[in-house]
């Protein structure tokens, strides 16, 4: 749900502003491709994962973080570009619609 994703981003932002670390424990980062990436982009400090999903999620996070760095460099080279910090709706839909991973 988009409202839940907005709330998660808000909690992470507010906690960071208060100097607190933020972590999440649960199935979503393991079971829903894209959710761990959303959390990383929001600034989360730690994510717990099911053992069988660690390698795949880490690989996706490494790729995603590289894309974030590329995006930051592109934004820095264009001083009039405004970053809104929100995930485009098509990415949000992909997270919500992603099937659970199977073993």
């Amino acid at each position: 749900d988009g409202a839940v994703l907005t709330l998660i981003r808000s909690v992470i932002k507010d906690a960071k502003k208060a100097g607190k670390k933020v972590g999440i424990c649960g199935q979503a980062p393991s079971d829903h491709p894209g959710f761990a990436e959303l959390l990383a982009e929001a600034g989360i400090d730690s994510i717990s994962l099911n053992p069988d999903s660690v390698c795949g999620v880490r690989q996706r996070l490494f790729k995603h973080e590289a894309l974030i760095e590329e995006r930051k460099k592109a934004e820095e080279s264009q001083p009039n570009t405004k970053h809104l910090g929100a995930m485009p709706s098509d990415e949000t839909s992909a997270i919500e619609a992603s099937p659970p991973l199977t073993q």
Side-chain angles (χ1 to χ4, degrees):
D1 184 357
V4 173
L5 297 176
T6 299
L7 179 62
I8 290 170
R9 284 189 200 99
S10 177
V11 168
I12 293 170
K13 179 182 171 189
D14 291 346
K16 293 295 204 172
K17 199 182 242 185
K20 303 293 181 184
K21 293 202 177 266
V22 183
I24 190 168
C25 179
Q27 290 290 122
S30 295
D31 292 350
H32 300 285
F35 190 65
E37 292 88 332
L38 176 141
L39 294 171
E41 192 162 347
I44 200 148
D45 295 297
S46 66
I47 301 171
S48 69
L49 299 168
N50 293 338
D52 62 339
S53 70
V54 171
C55 291
V57 172
R58 284 185 64 174
Q59 288 173 348
R60 289 195 324 263
L61 284 172
F62 288 139
K63 289 179 185 177
H64 187 72
E65 287 176 354
L67 290 173
I68 291 171
E69 287 302 315
E70 287 178 24
R71 188 183 314 149
K72 285 181 184 177
K73 288 178 185 177
E75 288 173 358
E76 289 170 1
S77 69
Q78 298 177 3
N80 293 329
T81 302
K82 182 178 178 185
H83 178 65
L84 301 176
M87 181 182 291
S89 61
D90 58 331
E91 290 182 35
T92 304
S93 298
I95 291 169
E96 293 170 350
S98 63
L101 298 175
T102 57
Q103 294 181 338

